[in-house]
Amino acid sequence: RGFNISIATPLFSLMFSQFFVLSSRGDVIIFKDLRGNLEKGNTELFFKYVSNELKNNEDTIIEPIFNIDGVQFLYVKKNTLYFVVNAIQNISPSFTLGLLTRITEVIRDYCGVLNEESIRRNFSLVYELVDEIIDFGYIQTTSTFKLKHLVYDDPIEVNPSHSTWLVPEVVKRKLKTKNSTDRPIFVSYETERDKQINEIYVDLIESLIIVLSPTGDIIRADINGKLVMKSYLKGQPELRIGLNEDLVIINEDNNNNNNNNNNYGSKSIVVDDINFHEIVNTTNFQMGRSLNFYPPAGQITVFNYRINTQTFPIPFKIFPTVDEISNGRADFNIRLSPCFPEDNYATSIIITLPVPETIESVSFNMKTEEMNEIGIFAEYRKREHVIVWNIDRIDSGEETILKAKLNWDSNEIISNLRAQSGPININFEIPMYLSSNMKIKYLKLFERSNDYNPARWIRYITQAASYICRV
């Protein structure tokens, strides 16, 4: 698994001058001068440019490629870290951004987790990886398996839960994973426990894009799903994954000249399109909905899929109400109604409500101590003009009503408070639940040895990518 350079691709378009990794504060964590044709001050030049762009406009989305004084900079941002390469000639943007993403995956595979602390503790290992991946500005290999035979430093494991000072709380919650999958892929020393580890982890994750009206009606509903696999398997077994037999791919049917897309069964799972990793053998997918491949060591996304044609149950309905009591005061209520099955629950719920800049203060219907007892934290961030509720957990059927009293100067006139507020945004994670009802029916491993029986772990996760309700 790695990058393949096409013969038709000019080598000068793949030649890099420097590679470096910066923290969100601008600290240089890794710096590699590949060709010696640029000054080291380019790290400061890069961070100053990015900081100024963000300072001038907080809503600005900075392009991943820009030119400063004839130097091309390309970067990706992962977990608050900037991974950057530069060059003095034009380089292929798509190839370079793909390469940087792949480098972050390799570092994660070898260090276990990808954050500032893990890179600082394993800086010699990361330098060794960069030396083998890029030589004198040219790409050599990004294959996790091939690099195993070229890298000799052993990783220092980092527990992501001990890195609270490195990652903001909201980001940390979104990246929460099992500690068992945060181990490095390869170590030269193996304890008896390491030798016995023979397991594979499979996550089927769906990110929802939902837009609701104030009355709870669905305006837009999309699912972006993916199957992510992380392998700690011994040997090179063949893996076979079976999906729902009633899975329907619209693009697949169109290719077969089948235009009756509205005649699918009521229980069918209709997917608009699906894309597979290059290592996946899809020969049996059309007939039997099974995939075959030899899983590489490390983490890969086996396939991505998108659903926006079929209607599906949404996990939450939101009903906002606004009561303007008098000039200078209003009550804002949000009723949060879970719609997922009774055996499931939602965790790490974060609800944000933007309000007009003239709002001076916000009070809540419960005292802080009372809210803490039931796992709710509420605050008004005046600088950002947003009300934030954090809820630890919501069970199925457990309707939650959030109340806030808005206060502002009575001399200030807010015309149509409802129109100037919102939209309400909610982030959450629901373990072992998928809105589309996509399932992994079986996960089989085939090896020559008859007693080959590794542990197989499967997890389903539904999370919010953009879940908003208009006010």
Side-chain angles (χ1 to χ4, degrees), residues 73-104:
F73 289 88
L74 296 94
Y75 77 96
V76 296
K77 189 176 182 181
K78 299 286 185 180
N79 299 0
T80 74
L81 300 174
Y82 295 96
F83 294 80
V84 191
V85 292
N86 59 18
I88 58 175
Q89 74 287 324
N90 290 330
I91 51 181
S92 170
S94 58
F95 179 90
T96 304
L97 296 176
L99 169 68
L100 288 171
T101 301
R102 179 65 191 135
I103 290 176
T104 64

Side-chain angles (χ1 to χ4, degrees), residues 93-332:
S94 58
F95 179 90
T96 304
L97 296 176
L99 169 68
L100 288 171
T101 301
R102 179 65 191 135
I103 290 176
T104 64
E105 294 172 351
V106 170
I107 294 174
R108 180 200 59 212
D109 286 344
Y110 277 84
C111 295
V113 294
L114 184 68
N115 58 30
E116 184 176 341
E117 184 180 358
S118 67
I119 294 179
R120 286 189 183 278
R121 290 194 181 185
N122 293 283
F123 73 95
S124 59
L125 172 60
V126 174
Y127 271 111
E128 197 171 5
L129 288 169
V130 174
D131 282 339
E132 299 298 340
I133 293 173
I134 309 176
D135 183 25
F136 199 61
Y138 295 101
I139 308 305
Q140 304 302 309
T141 182
T142 58
S143 168
T144 301
F145 183 77
K146 290 180 180 178
L147 288 168
K148 175 184 177 181
H149 306 288
L150 303 172
V151 173
Y152 297 95
D153 270 313
D154 289 316
I156 301 172
E157 294 190 40
V158 175
N159 188 342
S161 63
H162 295 161
S163 306
T164 54
W165 64 278
L166 295 173
V167 184
E169 182 66 21
V170 173
V171 177
K172 188 181 69 174
R173 286 181 178 177
K174 293 179 71 173
L175 299 176
K176 192 182 296 181
T177 58
K178 291 184 178 179
N179 291 336
S180 52
T181 62
D182 294 326
R183 302 191 311 271
I185 297 299
F186 301 115
V187 290
S188 60
Y189 61 91
E190 282 193 329
T191 64
E192 288 301 317
R193 177 181 174 276
D194 293 328
K195 292 178 181 178
Q196 294 175 3
I197 292 176
N198 187 21
E199 54 195 9
I200 186 169
Y201 295 84
V202 177
D203 284 346
L204 194 51
I205 304 170
E206 290 188 346
S207 300
L208 305 183
I209 301 174
I210 306 293
V211 180
L212 301 174
S213 71
T215 57
D217 297 325
I218 299 174
I219 299 173
R220 177 186 176 186
D222 295 346
I223 294 178
N224 292 325
K226 62 181 177 179
L227 190 145
V228 180
M229 183 199 72
K230 192 163 188 178
S231 171
Y232 295 92
L233 295 172
K234 303 294 183 183
Q236 289 187 316
E238 183 182 9
L239 175 65
R240 181 178 298 167
I241 297 177
L243 302 176
N244 307 59
E245 294 180 357
D246 54 356
L247 179 64
V248 177
I249 315 296
I250 290 181
N251 284 356
E252 182 182 80
D253 282 359
N254 288 340
N255 292 335
N256 294 330
N257 297 320
N258 181 3
N259 295 320
N260 293 326
N261 292 332
N262 296 322
N263 296 330
Y264 303 128
S266 59
K267 295 184 179 180
S268 297
I269 301 171
V270 182
V271 174
D272 288 79
D273 57 59
I274 187 167
N275 298 304
F276 298 98
H277 193 282
E278 59 185 7
I279 67 171
V280 177
N281 183 351
T282 59
T283 304
N284 298 322
F285 181 72
Q286 187 168 352
M287 297 297 296
R289 295 310 185 205
S290 65
L291 309 172
N292 296 67
F293 59 96
Y294 293 89
Q299 181 172 309
I300 65 166
T301 299
V302 180
F303 62 81
N304 296 279
Y305 61 93
R306 180 176 57 88
I307 299 175
N308 62 11
T309 300
Q310 185 187 39
T311 58
F312 54 87
I314 61 174
F316 283 103
K317 285 192 174 182
I318 306 171
F319 303 95
T321 58
V322 182
D323 297 322
E324 296 189 40
I325 298 174
S326 62
N327 190 24
R329 184 183 171 190
D331 287 347
F332 213 117

Side-chain angles (χ1 to χ4, degrees), residues 317 319 334-338 394-401:
K317 285 192 174 182
F319 303 95
I334 299 175
R335 181 159 61 93
L336 192 62
S337 180
I394 295 179
D395 293 316
S396 177
E398 186 180 292
E399 195 169 75
T400 303
I401 299 178

